[in-house]
PDB file of all heavy atoms in Angstrom:
ATOM      1  N   SER A  83      27.121   1.244  -5.433  1.00  0.00           N
ATOM      2  CA  SER A  83      25.879   1.227  -6.196  1.00  0.00           C
ATOM      3  C   SER A  83      24.916   2.288  -5.678  1.00  0.00           C
ATOM      4  O   SER A  83      24.296   3.024  -6.464  1.00  0.00           O
ATOM      5  CB  SER A  83      25.215  -0.156  -6.098  1.00  0.00           C
ATOM      6  OG  SER A  83      23.993  -0.187  -6.799  1.00  0.00           O
ATOM      7  N   ASP A  84      24.802   2.409  -4.366  1.00  0.00           N
ATOM      8  CA  ASP A  84      23.928   3.415  -3.761  1.00  0.00           C
ATOM      9  C   ASP A  84      24.404   4.832  -4.091  1.00  0.00           C
ATOM     10  O   ASP A  84      23.592   5.738  -4.315  1.00  0.00           O
ATOM     11  CB  ASP A  84      23.880   3.231  -2.243  1.00  0.00           C
ATOM     12  CG  ASP A  84      23.132   1.974  -1.828  1.00  0.00           C
ATOM     13  OD1 ASP A  84      22.383   1.425  -2.650  1.00  0.00           O
ATOM     14  OD2 ASP A  84      23.312   1.532  -0.677  1.00  0.00           O
ATOM     15  N   SER A  85      25.730   5.015  -4.114  1.00  0.00           N
ATOM     16  CA  SER A  85      26.300   6.325  -4.445  1.00  0.00           C
ATOM     17  C   SER A  85      25.951   6.714  -5.880  1.00  0.00           C
ATOM     18  O   SER A  85      25.605   7.865  -6.164  1.00  0.00           O
ATOM     19  CB  SER A  85      27.819   6.300  -4.267  1.00  0.00           C
ATOM     20  OG  SER A  85      28.401   7.518  -4.673  1.00  0.00           O
ATOM     21  N   MET A  86      26.022   5.744  -6.798  1.00  0.00           N
ATOM     22  CA  MET A  86      25.686   5.998  -8.193  1.00  0.00           C
ATOM     23  C   MET A  86      24.204   6.344  -8.345  1.00  0.00           C
ATOM     24  O   MET A  86      23.825   7.235  -9.104  1.00  0.00           O
ATOM     25  CB  MET A  86      26.023   4.777  -9.056  1.00  0.00           C
ATOM     26  CG  MET A  86      27.492   4.416  -9.097  1.00  0.00           C
ATOM     27  SD  MET A  86      28.511   5.731  -9.808  1.00  0.00           S
ATOM     28  CE  MET A  86      30.146   4.988  -9.696  1.00  0.00           C
ATOM     29  N   LYS A  87      23.364   5.647  -7.587  1.00  0.00           N
ATOM     30  CA  LYS A  87      21.924   5.908  -7.655  1.00  0.00           C
ATOM     31  C   LYS A  87      21.594   7.300  -7.132  1.00  0.00           C
ATOM     32  O   LYS A  87      20.712   7.975  -7.663  1.00  0.00           O
ATOM     33  CB  LYS A  87      21.162   4.845  -6.862  1.00  0.00           C
ATOM     34  CG  LYS A  87      21.195   3.457  -7.505  1.00  0.00           C
ATOM     35  CD  LYS A  87      20.513   2.417  -6.626  1.00  0.00           C
ATOM     36  CE  LYS A  87      20.581   1.036  -7.263  1.00  0.00           C
ATOM     37  NZ  LYS A  87      19.986   0.002  -6.366  1.00  0.00           N
ATOM     38  N   GLN A  88      22.292   7.737  -6.082  1.00  0.00           N
ATOM     39  CA  GLN A  88      22.053   9.072  -5.540  1.00  0.00           C
ATOM     40  C   GLN A  88      22.486  10.141  -6.537  1.00  0.00           C
ATOM     41  O   GLN A  88      21.802  11.149  -6.721  1.00  0.00           O
ATOM     42  CB  GLN A  88      22.810   9.256  -4.220  1.00  0.00           C
ATOM     43  CG  GLN A  88      22.610  10.626  -3.567  1.00  0.00           C
ATOM     44  CD  GLN A  88      21.156  10.956  -3.303  1.00  0.00           C
ATOM     45  OE1 GLN A  88      20.431  10.154  -2.715  1.00  0.00           O
ATOM     46  NE2 GLN A  88      20.712  12.127  -3.742  1.00  0.00           N
ATOM     47  N   ALA A  89      23.627   9.902  -7.190  1.00  0.00           N
ATOM     48  CA  ALA A  89      24.096  10.844  -8.201  1.00  0.00           C
ATOM     49  C   ALA A  89      23.097  10.923  -9.358  1.00  0.00           C
ATOM     50  O   ALA A  89      22.806  12.002  -9.876  1.00  0.00           O
ATOM     51  CB  ALA A  89      25.474  10.433  -8.717  1.00  0.00           C
ATOM     52  N   ALA A  90      22.552   9.759  -9.739  1.00  0.00           N
ATOM     53  CA  ALA A  90      21.553   9.727 -10.813  1.00  0.00           C
ATOM     54  C   ALA A  90      20.317  10.515 -10.415  1.00  0.00           C
ATOM     55  O   ALA A  90      19.701  11.189 -11.249  1.00  0.00           O
ATOM     56  CB  ALA A  90      21.176   8.284 -11.142  1.00  0.00           C
ATOM     57  N   LYS A  91      19.948  10.445  -9.137  1.00  0.00           N
ATOM     58  CA  LYS A  91      18.781  11.194  -8.646  1.00  0.00           C
ATOM     59  C   LYS A  91      19.021  12.689  -8.775  1.00  0.00           C
ATOM     60  O   LYS A  91      18.126  13.446  -9.190  1.00  0.00           O
ATOM     61  CB  LYS A  91      18.506  10.819  -7.199  1.00  0.00           C
ATOM     62  CG  LYS A  91      17.251  11.450  -6.623  1.00  0.00           C
ATOM     63  CD  LYS A  91      17.002  10.989  -5.193  1.00  0.00           C
ATOM     64  CE  LYS A  91      15.754  11.631  -4.613  1.00  0.00           C
ATOM     65  NZ  LYS A  91      15.517  11.182  -3.208  1.00  0.00           N
ATOM     66  N   ASP A  92      20.232  13.139  -8.429  1.00  0.00           N
ATOM     67  CA  ASP A  92      20.577  14.561  -8.576  1.00  0.00           C
ATOM     68  C   ASP A  92      20.529  14.969 -10.048  1.00  0.00           C
ATOM     69  O   ASP A  92      20.031  16.043 -10.399  1.00  0.00           O
ATOM     70  CB  ASP A  92      21.974  14.832  -8.021  1.00  0.00           C
ATOM     71  CG  ASP A  92      22.049  14.673  -6.514  1.00  0.00           C
ATOM     72  OD1 ASP A  92      20.990  14.706  -5.857  1.00  0.00           O
ATOM     73  OD2 ASP A  92      23.175  14.509  -5.999  1.00  0.00           O
TER      74      ASP A  92
END
Side-chain angles (χ1 to χ4, degrees):
S83 178
D84 290 343
S85 176
M86 297 298 180
K87 290 176 181 177
Q88 180 57 51
K91 185 178 179 180
D92 292 341

